Amino acid sequence: MAVIRDSKGQALLLIAIVFVVFMDGLDASIVNIALPYITSSFAIDAGTAVWITMVYFMMMASLLLIFGKLADRGIIKKILVAGLIIFSLFSLSCGLSNSFETLLISRIFQGIGAAIMGACSPLLCVRFLPENRLGIGLGVIAAGASIGYASGPALGGILTEFLSWHWIFLINVPIGVAGIAFLLRALPQDEGYVRSYFDVPGSILLVTATITGIFALERSTHLGLENIQIISAVTICIVSVILFIIWEGRCEAPLLNLSIFRSSKFSPVFIAYFLINLVGTGKWYLIPFYLALIMGFDSATSGMYMFIQAAITVIISVPIGRWSDHVGRRWFSVVSCLAMAISCAILIFIDPSMGLLPLITVAILSGILWGFSGPAAGRIVEHVQEGEEGTGAALIAVSGYFGAAVGAALFAALFSFISDSGNVPFTDLDPGTFMLGFHGVMLVGLVMAIVAVVLSAAVKDKCPPESSMVPAQ
């Protein structure tokens, strides 16, 4: 796959990347606001309705690496267009669903399409942008995802209020059709594909481990650790992980070359970026409950507050990415982790009597966290062993989406454990119990953030290759 050198081609590629990650981010957040309406429409309880979001994220987290590796076999354009077609078709199916079962099955396939889109985005940067433009590309991903994720609740609320919940899915169809036409025009033609062995057994084991692991983590707070479903899921997950490691070590063409994690430079930067996504998302998952239950914000005010972070990310992510291309990515990654650590520290001690200043500071720091995260992602590709750049790109997607899924589930589980609230919904807790759990979880987040700071600072930048010092034509 040839690197795009002309500015027009690079611009079209970056627009395509923004579109793809915006759609992914939008659909990841647009559904939650409509869950009460869907619950009422199908006469189901809240515990059942959560599967609408859970199956979507299960598909994304479990399939990202698989589709990333498939796309990197010289067919990224075909794979990405196919993913958007699947996403659009099953968005239509979701919107036309007349039963909960039909909606759930449609969400599974919509999640598959979203996984393809998420896996291809960083790969487009790695394979088609010059090395001295990689930071810009990854900054564009951060900006597009932030805009999409921040826009989801507001757009979902408007569509649900003035039309119906069906339109949070149907709106994807015309956008998807336009996007397919644009991708066919903007992306370079596929080349270099050679039919060869693909690690199907490893893929099955990975999907099994991921789905059962997320299920156990997400549902443990509702069902209890002693529940047979949780015990079975944990057992299957552990066995699948062990078998995956054994198989990948013996397979001649593994899905994931585990030897890359033996590097004393690659593993720290990978873990640091994974923690950025885990803690950053987990923290942001709990903040809306604090705003509603403790500060008394309505949904509109909370939405405006949450948008501060997205706005800052959009403003700074591309300039920071461009800057990191020239001076190195190490200290930008450290700043991202420091912003995460400081925001967690503030949230450990935050109290409604402190007013809005701590909250605004946390929102600004969160914007810096994500705005500086592009260079942290770039370090994964920078330090992966030669010939595994495609794997590095796939692991950026895995770290982002899987880290986010684990972060939300883990912080919710830790909250229930620390506050000893069991499966009582957050909205039914008294303020004292909520604050106990909230402060305790943020302390755990601070520890993880400090680990990320140390790991990011410990690995020096590679000396930029001579070619990267020459501006792209």
Side-chain angles (χ1 to χ4, degrees):
M1 290 179 275
V3 171
I4 300 174
R5 297 291 177 182
D6 65 284
S7 56
K8 180 181 178 182
Q10 290 179 8
L12 288 173
L13 181 73
L14 292 174
I15 294 171
I17 292 170
V18 167
F19 170 79
V20 170
V21 296
F22 173 82
M23 289 292 290
D24 254 358
L26 180 71
D27 215 70
S29 63
I30 197 172
V31 174
N32 288 344
I33 195 77
L35 284 180
Y37 299 89
I38 297 174
T39 299
S40 176
S41 178
F42 293 127
I44 56 177
D45 57 54
T48 303
V50 75
W51 282 96
I52 298 171
T53 56
M54 188 186 297
V55 296
Y56 182 85
F57 284 110
M58 280 181 171
M59 290 300 101
M60 285 204 69
S62 63
L63 295 172
L64 283 164
L65 180 60
I66 296 169
F67 285 125
K69 295 288 284 188
L70 279 172
D72 197 37
R73 294 156 74 96
I75 51 173
I76 185 171
K77 183 174 184 175
K78 293 183 180 68
I79 291 288
L80 180 53
V81 171
L84 185 53
I85 291 173
I86 293 170
F87 180 84
S88 302
L89 282 176
F90 285 95
S91 292
L92 177 62
S93 180
C94 287
L96 299 179
S97 295
N98 56 10
S99 70
F100 176 71
E101 292 75 16
T102 303
L103 176 59
L104 201 61
I105 293 171
S106 300
R107 280 288 280 175
I108 290 173
F109 284 96
Q110 190 189 35
I112 292 172
I116 296 173
M117 294 158 63
C120 289
S121 302
L123 188 61
L124 289 172
C125 298
V126 171
R127 290 306 186 196
F128 294 124
L129 288 177
E131 190 173 351
N132 66 327
R133 295 293 181 91
L134 177 61
I136 296 176
L138 295 174
V140 163
I141 288 179
S146 294
I147 296 172
Y149 195 83
S151 302
L155 181 59
I158 293 171
L159 291 173
T160 303
E161 181 69 24
F162 295 102
L163 296 172
S164 73
W165 65 261
H166 303 81
W167 283 94
I168 65 173
F169 300 111
L170 294 176
I171 193 174
N172 291 331
V173 179
I175 298 175
V177 171
I180 291 166
F182 179 74
L183 291 181
L184 290 171
R185 165 71 177 85
L187 298 183
Q189 293 301 314
D190 292 328
E191 58 183 42
Y193 174 72
V194 177
R195 184 182 295 275
S196 59
Y197 171 83
F198 189 78
D199 185 10
V200 175
S203 301
I204 293 172
L205 289 170
L206 179 64
V207 169
T208 303
T210 305
I211 289 178
T212 53
I214 291 177
F215 173 83
L217 192 58
E218 213 304 309
R219 300 305 292 168
S220 61
T221 56
H222 304 276
L223 302 176
L225 294 175
E226 70 284 353
N227 184 275
I228 187 62
Q229 294 183 44
I230 301 302
I231 295 173
S232 299
V234 171
T235 302
I236 294 171
C237 177
I238 293 173
V239 171
S240 298
V241 169
I242 294 172
L243 292 176
F244 177 77
I245 293 172
I246 294 173
W247 173 260
E248 296 301 282
R250 297 178 177 178
C251 184
E252 292 185 5
L255 177 70
L256 179 61
N257 181 2
L258 298 178
S259 67
I260 64 176
F261 294 101
R262 297 174 189 161
S263 167
S264 60
K265 294 184 177 180
F266 175 79
S267 291
V269 299
F270 172 77
I271 294 170
Y273 185 63
F274 182 80
L275 288 174
I276 285 173
N277 287 279
L278 188 153
V279 178
T281 303
K283 168 175 65 71
W284 211 237
Y285 169 78
L286 289 177
I287 284 178
F289 295 101
Y290 176 84
L291 299 177
L293 300 178
I294 306 301
M295 297 299 294
F297 286 7
D298 58 28
S299 58
T301 306
S302 295
M304 291 175 62
Y305 169 81
M306 304 290 280
F307 198 77
I308 296 173
Q309 171 248 297
I312 293 173
T313 300
V314 170
I315 292 170
I316 69 174
S317 57
V318 175
I320 290 298
R322 181 184 290 112
W323 192 8
S324 72
D325 282 333
H326 296 290
V327 302
R329 302 183 175 96
R330 178 189 186 187
W331 296 111
F332 293 98
S333 179
V334 171
V335 170
S336 177
C337 297
L338 278 173
M340 179 169 66
I342 296 170
S343 64
C344 286
I346 293 173
L347 292 172
I348 292 172
F349 301 102
I350 198 168
D351 184 87
S353 63
M354 297 178 178
L356 295 177
L357 181 59
L359 279 174
I360 294 174
T361 303
V362 167
I364 294 171
L365 288 169
S366 296
I368 294 172
L369 156 65
W370 296 117
F372 280 69
S373 66
R379 301 195 85 200
I380 293 177
V381 176
E382 178 184 339
H383 290 285
V384 75
Q385 68 187 48
E386 189 175 350
E388 292 287 349
E389 291 82 6
T391 301
L395 289 175
I396 290 174
V398 171
S399 298
Y401 291 98
F402 183 64
V406 171
L410 178 62
F411 272 49
L414 287 172
F415 178 94
S416 297
F417 175 77
I418 294 170
S419 64
D420 196 25
S421 58
N423 60 357
V424 178
F426 291 171
T427 51
D428 293 339
L429 295 176
D430 64 86
T433 301
F434 179 87
M435 292 305 294
L436 175 65
F438 187 81
H439 289 155
V441 169
M442 295 308 161
L443 177 59
V444 176
L446 174 60
V447 173
M448 293 181 179
I450 292 173
V451 171
V453 171
V454 173
L455 291 175
S456 295
V459 180
K460 296 180 180 179
D461 287 318
K462 278 187 175 180
C463 293
E466 187 175 339
S467 61
S468 71
M469 305 304 293
V470 180
Q473 297 177 353

